[in-house]
Amino acid sequence: MPKTSDTTDDRSEERRGGAGSVQSVDRAVSVLEILAKLGEAGVTEISEELGVHKSTAFRILGVLENRGLVEQERDRGKYYLGAGVLRLAGAAAIRLDISQEGQPVCRALAEDTGETANIAVLDGDAAVNIMQARGSAAVTAYNWLGRRTPLHATASGKVLLAHLPRERRETLVTRKLPRFTENTLTTAAGVREQLTAALADGYACTSEELEIGLNAVAAPVRAHDGAVIGALGVSGPAYRMERELLPELAERSAKAAAELSRRMGYAG
């Protein structure tokens, strides 16, 4: 691939706008792939592989190094994949593992309760549902899979939020919280009270806080080291999952979550 001058690259990307940004991302990913293939490489090797000027390759490596995705051997100047890649890979592996191990547990919980069972994981500032199973009473065809839901207004979200490090939790709790129904908690004090209860009880509940007519319960799923990596629970119509029944359904969810935690290697 012929090299282009660094100045030409920059001007071309400025003219292309969004297309240039996409090209930069593509080049950054290519650098990671090159290092995965070669094990280590210098700026010259990487620039030749990419077909760009050395200064362009150096800037890309600088960004990746700042993010911890690549590291450099100071004495030889070689670059190699950094611990940040392992962190991302580990997060992906956990999500894959919980999906695989969670299938039979999620189905069993749906059969036990008759409602829709879901497994959710943290995705930035929201909970995302990665698995769903419908029980015999769940006549609705609503699909929660892949849907990102607010942490403060869902049972799964409250579980995940409650187990975050204090500083991160406070950042999310003290920001402006959107209201979805008249029952949605939108004050930091109110959410904190719910999170304290979730930690004490071992589960969280919501009563028409995300949608009118929808109630839910959820309990934490733990990895081998005890870290909370997901939430398992059930949701259903408020007329069937009445408030007084939520603690019992939550206890069932907690037992199922404990079983999934055991399958994930947690011995506690």
Side-chain angles (χ1 to χ4, degrees):
M1 182 184 297
K3 293 182 183 178
T4 56
S5 72
D6 189 42
T7 303
T8 301
D9 283 349
D10 292 342
R11 288 175 179 171
S12 296
E13 291 189 9
E14 288 176 4
R15 285 195 297 268
R16 289 194 298 271
S21 298
V22 171
Q23 184 183 55
S24 296
V25 173
D26 183 70
R27 286 174 174 171
V29 173
S30 295
V31 169
L32 296 177
E33 292 176 339
I34 289 167
L35 293 177
K37 178 180 67 175
L38 300 179
E40 61 178 28
V43 175
T44 300
E45 294 172 88
I46 291 172
S47 66
E48 290 176 350
E49 289 277 346
L50 290 178
V52 300
H53 195 275
K54 284 176 62 176
S55 58
T56 299
F58 186 77
R59 279 205 311 276
I60 295 170
L61 286 163
V63 172
L64 294 174
E65 187 175 15
N66 288 338
R67 293 287 187 171
L69 297 175
V70 304
E71 296 178 16
Q72 184 183 26
E73 292 184 358
R74 298 302 175 187
D75 55 338
R76 297 194 302 141
K78 297 282 189 178
Y79 289 87
Y80 55 92
L81 293 178
V85 173
L86 296 177
R87 183 182 68 249
L88 296 177
I94 286 174
R95 184 170 292 196
L96 290 173
D97 286 345
I98 197 174
S99 295
Q100 181 177 356
E101 297 295 338
Q103 287 182 12
V105 180
C106 193
R107 286 197 298 266
L109 180 59
E111 292 173 4
D112 177 46
T113 61
E115 304 295 348
T116 299
N118 286 284
I119 297 176
V121 297
L122 189 67
D123 184 24
D125 61 352
V128 62
N129 292 283
I130 62 172
M131 180 162 296
Q132 175 175 294
R134 294 191 181 92
S136 58
V139 295
T140 178
Y142 195 91
N143 188 0
W144 292 91
L145 278 177
R147 179 175 173 181
R148 299 179 81 251
T149 55
L151 297 176
H152 70 290
T154 59
S156 294
K158 288 178 185 178
V159 166
L160 297 170
L161 187 55
H163 289 88
L164 284 176
R166 185 179 182 279
E167 185 176 349
R168 174 62 174 156
R169 185 174 65 244
E170 279 299 300
T171 297
L172 294 173
V173 166
T174 54
R175 65 180 181 169
K176 182 176 176 59
L177 300 173
R179 180 178 296 279
F180 300 97
T181 74
E182 61 182 11
N183 296 322
T184 305
L185 294 172
T186 58
T187 65
V191 175
R192 286 195 197 99
E193 184 178 351
Q194 289 277 304
L195 300 184
T196 299
L199 291 173
D201 297 336
Y203 59 79
C205 304
T206 53
S207 180
E208 301 185 271
E209 294 172 40
L210 179 63
E211 296 180 8
I212 293 297
L214 179 70
N215 288 352
V217 297
V221 176
R222 298 180 183 273
H224 65 92
D225 59 357
V228 172
I229 55 174
L232 171 63
V234 294
S235 60
Y239 70 82
R240 195 164 58 232
M241 285 183 58
E242 299 175 350
R243 280 178 179 264
E244 56 268 26
L245 297 179
L246 295 184
E248 178 190 347
L249 289 169
E251 290 290 352
R252 294 192 200 179
S253 297
K255 288 181 180 179
E259 167 61 18
L260 179 51
S261 298
R262 185 190 65 78
R263 296 172 70 104
M264 296 297 294
Y266 180 60

